[in-house]
Amino acid sequence: MAESNKMKDMPVNKLMIQMGIPMILSMALQAVYNIVDSAFVGNMKVGSEAALNALTLVFPVQMLMVAVGIGTGVGTNALLARTLGQGNRKKAAKVAGNSLFLGVIIYVICLLFGIFGVRAYISSQTVDVEVLEMGVSYLRICCVISFGIIFFSLFEKLLQATGRSLYSTIGQVVGAVVNIILDPIMIYGIGPCPEMGVKGAAYATVIGQVASAVLLFIFHMKLNKEFKHDVKYMKPETGIIKEIYAIGLPAIIAQALMSIMVYVMNLILKFNPSAQTAYGLFYKVQQFVLFLAFGLRDAITPILAFAYGMRDKKRIQDGIKYGLIYTIALMILGIAITEIFPGAFATLFNAGQSREYFIGAMRVISVSFLFAGINVAYQGIYQALDGGMESLVISLLRQLIIILPLAGIFSLFVRNGQMGISLIWWAFPVTEIISCFAGYLFLKKIRKNRVDVLN
């Protein structure tokens, strides 16, 4: 029970660093999957431009699969941490078991989409036959073998909920290393492996994800001793599933809205394939930076949820304070890197005709990272303190209500030749600043109604 004692007694600032660093590394490595694929694909001898465009078009569905897995995991994480904080070990076992049952259902849905829905999805975004075929091949593999990323996401959150975030990071590192090693072998055809191009990138990705999931399953069974493990706990209980999604659904919607946003942005930029590809490449760099905030959020949520379960006002207040301070520091670092080295990232991807659009996007959109990171931290705080609706509203503002109409309006000026393509990129900083102000107001309300009233 040493891990639970740590959640209860360790000073919050130290606990957040101890839990946050492995989670930040874990999320950063998760973003590496897509960056590595794009880097190797961008350096293919034949068809690299089409391949980069194809990966841009499939990215929203990859994000959506991660969204559902991580969102379900976030709900499990917060509920499990709170339940353990209350000392209810039997319910904790049911929470863990029900989350795995949900993982099976999620995989079946992804499998069916991979078999029947992939071609229609890709064809909605491009008329280029080469891009279409590459996108279909890549995405079908990722969907059919999606059980790796789904169950990795769940076991990761089960380990994080008990304070064992280091082990989830080990699993993520193993998967990333496997992916990086297999990418050049399977894409270019090294040794006995035939040259597979974008199919090779897809296989390398899913094999890495499966390796991570298997390792985390072993860690979960051997280390999470605070509750029992048995197939009988996978029997679905409506009440527990509702509790999981009362917390996790806003996180799923938040991540799913990211997929919708990227998909609609691809449609907005369809008039300029080079700008479309540039946005897709930049979004992967952006995800790498924002995943640092997501990783810290995944430390903020269980720490606050555990403290909230104990009704410890001081630890809740400390969690909010240090969560925001550390997030701001991370985002300042992210802005510095992307503003100073945009050319290096363009070279990494071998961006070709998209290079100038990519650099322009990086210089403008990275301004928004500070406000975006704070918004992510706000959402982690809301989720821990039963503020699912507030989290949902922030997601809707950031990724639907403000950003898409604004980008669509700006694109009209670009298409008419009155402005440069960079005008579209400015929709992102404007959106994050407005959303951050709304998030601050929500935080004041939650502190007043749910924290200040505690004894």
Side-chain angles (χ1 to χ4, degrees):
M1 298 297 290
E3 300 293 339
S4 292
N5 290 338
K6 178 177 71 175
M7 295 283 281
K8 180 180 178 181
D9 299 324
M10 182 179 285
V12 170
N13 59 335
K14 294 182 180 179
L15 178 61
M16 195 166 290
I17 291 173
Q18 188 179 100
M19 289 182 63
I21 289 176
M23 292 181 184
I24 289 166
L25 292 175
S26 178
M27 294 299 288
L29 286 168
Q30 188 168 307
V32 163
Y33 278 119
N34 292 309
I35 290 178
V36 167
D37 279 355
S38 294
F40 282 115
V41 164
N43 286 279
M44 287 167 47
K45 292 180 180 178
V46 179
S48 61
E49 286 276 344
L52 284 174
N53 198 356
L55 263 60
T56 293
L57 303 185
V58 306
F59 193 47
V61 172
Q62 289 181 288
M63 292 168 59
L64 187 59
M65 290 190 292
V66 171
V68 178
I70 287 183
T72 302
V74 165
T76 302
N77 181 337
L79 181 60
L80 184 59
R82 188 184 307 164
T83 303
L84 290 171
Q86 295 166 343
N88 191 341
R89 298 180 68 181
K90 183 176 181 180
K91 182 179 178 181
K94 292 182 178 180
V95 171
N98 273 247
S99 74
L100 299 181
F101 165 78
L102 292 169
V104 174
I105 300 300
I106 294 165
Y107 170 63
V108 171
I109 294 170
C110 292
L111 175 64
L112 292 173
F113 177 79
I115 296 171
F116 300 110
V118 166
R119 184 168 294 274
Y121 165 77
I122 298 294
S123 63
S124 70
Q125 300 172 85
T126 184
V127 294
D128 187 305
V129 175
E130 185 181 17
V131 173
L132 173 63
E133 293 305 320
M134 285 182 172
V136 169
S137 297
Y138 185 96
L139 187 54
R140 183 162 286 151
I141 293 166
C142 290
C143 289
V144 170
I145 315 179
S146 59
F147 57 84
I149 187 59
I150 292 166
F151 283 99
F152 166 79
S153 300
L154 294 175
F155 289 126
E156 177 186 46
K157 300 304 179 190
L158 289 169
L159 287 163
Q160 289 173 358
T162 57
R164 297 181 173 91
S165 55
L166 174 61
Y167 295 95
S168 67
T169 303
I170 292 171
Q172 185 70 269
V173 169
V174 169
V177 170
V178 169
N179 184 27
I180 291 169
I181 292 172
L182 291 181
D183 254 332
I185 293 173
M186 303 183 86
I187 292 172
Y188 307 139
I190 297 175
C193 184
E195 182 178 350
M196 291 188 282
V198 292
K199 285 185 179 181
Y203 281 121
T205 295
V206 296
I207 291 170
Q209 291 167 348
V210 171
S212 293
V214 170
L215 187 56
L216 290 199
F217 169 72
I218 294 170
F219 287 153
H220 168 68
M221 296 299 293
K222 290 186 175 295
L223 300 174
N224 276 346
K225 299 298 186 182
E226 287 83 358
F227 50 88
K228 294 182 179 179
H229 308 282
D230 198 298
V231 175
K232 68 181 180 181
Y233 294 118
M234 291 182 64
K235 181 180 178 181
E237 291 194 16
T238 303
I240 288 177
I241 292 173
K242 284 182 177 178
E243 285 189 84
I244 288 174
Y245 283 121
I247 303 167
L249 185 59
I252 291 175
I253 294 173
Q255 298 261 7
L257 285 172
M258 293 165 62
S259 299
I260 294 170
M261 182 184 73
V262 174
Y263 176 71
V264 175
M265 284 296 299
N266 285 339
L267 297 181
I268 290 172
L269 294 167
K270 193 175 180 180
F271 72 96
N272 188 327
S274 293
Q276 189 183 57
T277 300
Y279 173 68
L281 293 176
F282 171 76
Y283 197 83
K284 294 175 183 182
V285 177
Q286 175 180 269
Q287 286 301 92
F288 183 81
V289 176
L290 291 186
F291 271 25
L292 304 180
F294 290 151
L296 188 56
R297 177 204 63 190
D298 289 344
I300 293 169
T301 299
I303 289 171
L304 285 176
F306 198 99
Y308 193 47
M310 294 192 305
R311 298 179 64 83
D312 190 324
K313 183 176 177 180
K314 176 65 165 57
R315 288 183 73 81
I316 293 171
Q317 291 172 332
D318 285 349
I320 294 171
K321 179 177 73 173
Y322 289 111
L324 290 171
I325 290 172
Y326 294 157
T327 298
I328 290 170
L330 280 174
M331 292 302 96
I332 290 173
L333 177 63
I335 292 171
I337 291 171
T338 51
E339 288 287 347
I340 294 171
F341 302 111
F345 284 103
T347 301
L348 172 67
F349 293 125
N350 191 22
Q353 297 178 12
S354 304
R355 181 182 178 88
E356 293 306 315
Y357 291 118
F358 173 80
I359 291 174
M362 182 167 286
R363 291 207 181 279
V364 174
I365 303 177
S366 59
V367 173
S368 68
F369 289 165
L370 176 61
F371 304 99
I374 293 172
N375 284 325
V376 169
Y378 281 158
Q379 290 179 287
I381 294 167
Y382 303 157
Q383 289 160 7
L385 303 177
D386 287 332
M389 185 55 65
E390 288 85 352
S391 178
L392 175 58
V393 171
I394 292 297
S395 295
L396 287 168
L397 290 174
R398 294 179 60 218
Q399 289 150 346
L400 187 66
I401 294 173
I402 301 174
I403 181 66
L404 296 180
L406 202 57
I409 292 169
F410 287 172
S411 73
L412 297 178
F413 291 98
V414 174
R415 289 191 222 185
N416 292 334
Q418 299 175 36
M419 300 283 184
I421 199 82
S422 63
L423 179 63
I424 297 176
W425 309 143
W426 278 105
F428 291 86
V430 172
T431 296
E432 294 294 357
I433 290 169
I434 296 172
S435 301
C436 194
F437 178 71
Y440 171 73
L441 296 179
F442 286 150
L443 181 60
K444 285 186 66 176
K445 175 186 172 185
I446 286 176
R447 293 186 73 156
K448 178 180 178 181
N449 295 337
R450 295 174 193 169
V451 180
D452 294 346
V453 296
L454 297 176
N455 295 327

